Amino acid sequence: MITIALSKGRIFDDTLPLLHAAGITPLDDPEKSRKLILDTTRVDVKLIIVRASDVPTYVQYGAADFGVAGKDVLLESDCMGLYQPLDLRIGKCRMMVAVRDGYDYAGAVKRGARLNVATKYVQIAREHFAKKAMHVNLIKLYGSMELAPLTGLADAIVDVVSTGNTLKANKLIAVEEIMPISSRLIVNRAALKLKSAELQPMMDAFANAVK
Ligand code: AMP
């Protein structure tokens, strides 16, 4: 049996064509069903539906052989025991620094001001500002980062931006790109050794579909 960990929504939808390429179609729609383990058209493959930030954990401990996770999630998690063989080029967005429209970010950086930065992506933000030799107070949030500069909680946020519509709707502007983000195939290292005959053809099918 091969188990693939996926999160609902964007990643699940964008992964479907790649699964099709390996002959895998889920028998249930996770948006309609409450099932967390989905059978597929391949009797040897099942999908498990987990939170995006839990995908690396399931793969790391071998509860799933494969997973699909954003680079943002991977950089925020401990990736021991994980192999990342393939950029699936889905879920593309950019990790950005954003501020309230009118806030003089460049001036604050120049002055060496100690900024309050709210984010869900604490590791990524810490590394980014350390590279710029900027002192920041990082404030951990779990969602709706856009509110932080509007309420005075923070001077800036670090968040993923896709179309930019969410920033625009909240009168925020992106001032710095930290890195491009896309989703990766992740594989349990031990499973890849022990079940290589089963897993390798599937990885090849995914790689061909990405091309
Ligand atoms: P947008 O308005 O299209 O720029 O999307 C911004 C919001 O959608 C962000 O606050 C994120 O929560 C979410 N988002 C957009 N793209 C992604 C992605 N590839 N992965 C995770 N979250 C995303």
Side-chain angles (χ1 to χ4, degrees):
M1 183 58 77
I2 300 172
T3 304
I4 306 175
L6 295 174
S7 53
K8 272 206 275 194
R10 197 186 326 246
I11 284 189
F12 187 87
D13 297 343
D14 290 354
T15 306
L16 278 182
L18 302 173
L19 294 174
H20 286 310
I24 304 160
T25 305
L27 298 182
D28 283 293
D29 176 354
E31 297 298 340
K32 291 185 186 141
S33 161
R34 285 177 174 266
K35 278 188 195 170
L36 298 174
I37 301 179
L38 308 184
D39 290 324
T40 73
T41 43
R42 272 183 57 170
V43 288
D44 61 332
V45 179
K46 67 181 177 200
L47 308 182
I48 60 171
I49 305 300
V50 304
R51 259 186 97 112
S53 51
D54 289 336
V55 169
T57 307
Y58 276 86
V59 178
Q60 195 174 5
Y61 284 92
D65 302 298
F66 285 123
V68 175
K71 186 176 173 189
D72 51 333
V73 169
L74 291 168
L75 287 174
E76 291 296 318
S77 63
D78 160 25
C79 288
M80 291 254 295
L82 283 182
Y83 178 50
Q84 296 181 37
L86 192 58
D87 180 351
L88 298 173
R89 300 190 203 159
I90 58 174
K92 283 190 182 177
C93 55
R94 289 168 299 153
M95 187 66 68
M96 307 285 286
V97 180
V99 296
R100 209 169 7 90
D101 196 2
Y103 179 83
D104 181 14
Y105 178 74
V109 173
K110 220 169 174 182
R111 282 199 313 278
R114 190 174 184 112
L115 299 186
N116 291 324
V117 179
T119 188
K120 190 163 110 178
Y121 306 101
V122 173
Q123 310 280 7
I124 294 172
R126 183 176 295 123
E127 199 166 311
H128 174 70
F129 292 111
K131 265 194 211 144
K132 287 176 61 88
M134 275 175 68
H135 294 287
V136 295
N137 300 319
L138 292 175
I139 302 167
K140 169 87 182 178
L141 288 179
Y142 294 88
S144 302
M145 261 92 64
E146 296 83 6
L147 260 180
L150 305 178
T151 54
L153 177 65
D155 303 301
I157 59 170
V158 167
D159 195 7
V160 291
V161 177
S162 176
T163 60
N165 289 340
T166 308
L167 290 184
K168 212 168 164 190
N170 291 291
K171 299 193 169 60
L172 301 176
I173 49 165
V175 286
E176 218 161 60
E177 172 162 348
I178 299 181
M179 64 178 75
I181 300 286
S182 58
S183 295
R184 318 283 153 131
L185 181 71
I186 56 173
V187 188
N188 177 273
R189 277 185 196 270
L192 191 58
K193 282 198 190 124
L194 298 171
K195 295 159 80 172
S196 148
E198 288 168 84
L199 301 188
Q200 192 61 52
M202 198 174 282
M203 282 169 54
D204 294 343
F206 291 149
N208 277 329
V210 170
K211 269 193 229 150

